[in-house]
Amino acid sequence: MRDAARETGGPGSRWHRRVGLQCAMAAHPSAAPAPGPAPRPVPPSAPAPAAGRSDDAPGRRRLVGIDLARGVAVLGMVTAHVGPDEGRVLPRLLEVADGRSAALFVVLAGVGLALLSGGDRPATGVDLVRARVRVLARAALLVPLGALLALLGTPVVVILLTYGALFVVGAAALRLPRVALLVLAGAAALGGPVLHALLAPLSDATGSPETLWDVLVGPYYPAVVWVAYLLVGLALGRGDLRSPGTRGRLALLGAGLVVLGHGGSWVAEHVLGLPGVLVTTEPHSATTFEVVGNTGSALLVLAACLVVAERLPRPVAPVVATGALSLTAYSGHLVVLALLGTDAVWDPTTGTWLALALGVVLVCWAWHAALGRGPLEALLHRVSLRAADVTDRRGPRTPAPLPTLER
């Protein structure tokens, strides 16, 4: 994403291709918790449990593939921001990261919210209230963090304000059945772009959103469209992601959606003669066809990562660690870009891209091995847990022990 103050071009312009800030999925629970007694308190100085297990579900393996998918999205974010423009072949290949990485993060956000609230066995009663409070607490922290990152003045659009709004929607949708989630996601994919096209001219935003209206219908990451990705993720998280059959179906569905999105866009423009601006799949065009294609890409990446993380855990460990620290990695890379100056984004080189990508992976890998959770992940984890505990103490009590709601 380039300088938000500059005039943006059309869907095919250099600015439009670069505008996609791929935000790290913030505040993500990665493991599908199994019902059981509440976890023992961990001293602040103790490192977080290893990535191979769920923090609060002893004996049940953690879905490390979700962290791997987040790591892939982080690297896609770095590529979208500082991917080189040198040559012809490499830049064209790297453009696949534009837009799709951000969509992948939002889908994974929905998966994470589903896992936090019980996975394929959704929480009810007090447990559901606690889950909602934890999600809302994380949303409340993401908003000021996003505002602080926007103050760095980097030529990228910060997505965390939109994430906060999507988390609020996610908290309200935690109890909905899978069918309802998918129906609402379809409605958002169809109706959201229409609302955005009608209402976007009323927003004055040229970069990171500054008002709630900008978050809802602004030019970048409009929540009325992007909520479709979150709802799809919630529906996915309500299924059995450990099942080989589920993963196979995800891959097939993802491939079908990619073909439908990009193929349908071509037919709509070149056969039916519809205006390209309404049916394009260009990054951040906020059209139905882009949403369908991006959702398909996200499903393919998730299915592949779930399999690869189990079969090749050691080779992918650095990327898994990057995904486990995605909020820290995202925020840290913006700080680095602020120190490097705007030329790192506007005139990127292969060296800058490789250095930043490898630096992010190595720092996250070392931190995760030594300390577990990243600093920002730990902050959101502790604050949301305390908020939920306060709610639990003030709310009605149940004789049975509370099922764990946090990885």
Side-chain angles (χ1 to χ4, degrees):
M1 223 158 347
R2 306 311 190 191
D3 191 348
R6 298 178 63 171
E7 290 294 324
T8 61
S13 69
R14 171 185 174 88
W15 161 265
H16 199 282
R17 287 189 290 106
R18 295 300 240 169
V19 73
L21 169 65
Q22 323 309 326
C23 165
M25 162 38 202
H28 57 277
S30 300
R40 296 179 181 178
V42 179
S45 59
R53 288 196 174 274
S54 162
D55 292 3
D56 295 342
R60 188 169 187 183
R61 298 294 297 177
R62 171 181 171 130
L63 284 170
V64 183
I66 296 178
D67 280 332
L68 177 59
R70 290 193 187 100
V72 170
V74 168
L75 295 179
M77 163 198 67
V78 173
T79 300
H81 295 163
V82 296
D85 290 332
E86 304 160 342
R88 295 183 178 180
V89 178
L90 185 59
R92 296 290 294 178
L93 292 175
L94 297 181
E95 282 181 4
V96 72
D98 287 351
R100 295 176 181 88
S101 297
L104 173 60
F105 271 122
V106 179
V107 170
L108 294 173
V111 173
L113 296 186
L115 298 180
L116 182 146
S117 57
D120 55 358
R121 288 166 287 184
T124 59
V126 174
D127 304 328
L128 177 60
V129 173
R130 292 184 65 199
R132 283 176 169 158
V133 169
R134 297 193 62 193
V135 173
L136 293 174
R138 294 175 183 219
L141 291 174
L142 290 176
V143 172
L145 176 60
L148 288 175
L149 292 175
L151 291 177
L152 291 175
T154 57
V156 295
V157 177
V158 179
I159 196 177
L160 293 186
L161 292 175
T162 298
Y163 260 100
L166 294 179
F167 270 44
V168 173
V169 175
L174 288 183
R175 195 68 183 99
L176 294 179
R178 296 181 69 189
V179 172
L181 290 169
L182 292 175
V183 169
L184 289 174
L190 291 171
V194 176
L195 288 175
H196 180 250
L198 293 174
L199 301 177
L202 301 179
S203 171
D204 296 328
T206 57
S208 299
E210 299 178 355
T211 67
L212 178 60
W213 186 252
D214 296 337
V215 169
L216 294 175
V217 298
Y220 310 118
Y221 311 109
V224 293
V225 177
W226 283 66
V227 69
Y229 299 125
L230 185 88
L231 295 173
V232 168
L234 269 172
L236 293 177
R238 293 300 182 214
D240 183 8
L241 295 177
R242 303 175 190 277
S243 166
T246 298
R247 297 170 182 181
R249 288 188 291 273
L250 282 181
L252 290 175
L253 178 59
L257 290 176
V258 169
V259 172
L260 177 61
H262 293 274
S265 171
W266 187 90
V267 170
E269 181 175 0
H270 298 283
V271 177
L272 301 180
L274 297 178
V277 68
L278 299 179
V279 297
T280 180
T281 55
E282 283 288 333
H284 302 279
S285 54
T287 68
T288 296
F289 289 107
E290 188 209 7
V291 173
V292 172
N294 285 353
T295 301
S297 299
L299 297 189
L300 284 172
V301 172
L302 177 57
C305 288
L306 288 170
V307 173
V308 171
E310 289 186 355
R311 297 186 179 181
L312 301 170
R314 291 186 182 276
V316 300
V319 183
V320 169
T322 303
L325 275 70
S326 56
L327 177 59
T328 297
Y330 167 68
S331 303
H333 109 281
L334 286 184
V335 173
V336 172
L337 289 181
L339 295 175
L340 293 177
T342 59
D343 286 347
V345 176
W346 289 114
D347 297 305
T349 64
T350 302
T352 301
W353 167 55
L354 291 176
L356 186 55
L358 290 175
V360 167
V361 170
L362 291 177
V363 170
C364 290
W365 190 19
W367 182 288
H368 192 256
L371 301 172
R373 284 193 184 95
L376 293 179
E377 287 76 17
L379 173 64
L380 267 66
H381 172 80
R382 292 172 182 172
V383 170
S384 65
L385 272 182
R386 291 191 178 186
D389 289 342
V390 169
T391 301
D392 184 38
R393 287 196 296 269
R394 293 179 178 178
R397 306 295 297 180
T398 59
L402 292 174
T404 179
L405 291 177
E406 174 62 37
R407 63 184 181 94

